[in-house]
Amino acid sequence: MKIFRFPFAGGPLGVPAARILTSVMLLAGIYISSAQPDSPVIGRWDLTVSMDGRELPSWLEVKLSGQSTLVGYYVSFAGSARPISEVHADGGSFSFSLPPQWIGNHYMHVHGKVEGDTISGELLYHTGTSHSFKGVRAPELLREEPEAWTPARPLIADSGLDGWTTTPGSDTNQWEVVDGVLNSPASGANLMTIEKFDDFKLHVEFRVPEGSNSGIYLRGRYEVQVEDSYGKQPESIYLGGVYGFLSPNEMAAARAGEWQTYDITLVGRRVTVVLNGKTIIHRQIIPGITGGALDSAEGEPGPIMLQGDHGPISYRNMTVSVPAN
């Protein structure tokens, strides 16, 4: 008897894994039906996944498309926001599947249940391992712009790493400050401020070597991309974008190796990004955490985190202002 292989992480005759899963669920009597417009899973969810003794942040958005179909976006602990073509829901129960992105080579299958403003369930991850998750509805974080801001104060000392620490679980610290310039000469640990912030204005100059990549995480949760992007079309994954979510309205990048400037204002979920003097994102809403976030506790203050695990990077003249009232 001829045995057919399972291409594309699928089943016999090339049937996608998501369809195989649906068929198995139907035969077992646990198929989740088409969604209703008032499904309790609709909304944004801050998730925590329990994986190999670690608590990893994740995020889910489910919304209505048309009269009865639910679609959405999912952010894992790494990578960017990924579209979900259909979320199956019945009452408080739901399920969906996603192809692999950066990690593993299996489809990810998620099923869970909503109870009020809490959510929980299991996911079969891209590596073929199963893990539990739980979460809560994400806060709206929509508030008015402050009437006044405090004077800007520096975050980088002339020498030394006073006020900074590596992120939990990071490798040996490779960051150093020389003459007021904060350098990561090679890939290594991520760095974050000890102080935590809520709403703020951040000014910083940065220099990206050719082909290198970093990022500035606002409250440790929302990455504004820092990358060698000169000459590229504007995208959320390139310089000036909020990774995987918000694309700049133009590519204002300078050439690799030149000093460039960010002025970033974050109030609640609304972010404004000025790159090299050009406003490229204006008071846009960040839907949720981006891949690589410290946690998914969006309602809490968080640090400024600098990505140091994607290549060399330099920062200087970093200052912060907070609401004065």
Side-chain angles (χ1 to χ4, degrees), residues 68-93:
S68 62
T69 300
L70 295 183
V71 297
Y73 280 90
Y74 179 77
V75 176
S76 185
F77 59 89
S80 60
R82 289 180 283 166
I84 306 169
S85 61
E86 185 171 7
V87 178
H88 301 281
D90 184 11
S93 299

Side-chain angles (χ1 to χ4, degrees), residues 20-31:
I20 293 292
L21 177 67
T22 299
S23 300
V24 171
M25 293 173 70
L26 181 61
L27 291 172
I30 57 173
Y31 176 69

Side-chain angles (χ1 to χ4, degrees), residues 128-213:
T129 55
S130 181
H131 307 280
S132 64
F133 68 87
K134 60 184 179 180
V136 297
R137 287 192 184 275
E140 288 191 358
L141 298 181
L142 300 179
R143 43 187 180 248
E144 296 297 322
E145 195 88 9
E147 295 182 1
W149 298 86
T150 61
R153 55 184 174 86
L155 291 177
I156 301 175
D158 290 336
S159 61
L161 291 170
D162 293 346
W164 295 85
T165 184
T166 54
T167 56
S170 291
D171 298 327
T172 302
N173 185 11
Q174 81 284 358
W175 294 85
E176 59 181 3
V177 178
V178 179
D179 295 329
V181 178
L182 177 60
N183 293 301
S184 175
S187 296
N190 296 332
L191 194 71
M192 66 181 185
T193 60
I194 296 172
E195 184 178 357
K196 295 183 178 182
F197 303 93
D198 197 353
D199 297 340
F200 58 86
K201 285 178 174 286
L202 181 71
H203 171 86
V204 62
E205 298 174 18
F206 58 93
R207 182 171 59 194
V208 187
E210 184 175 357
S212 196
N213 182 306

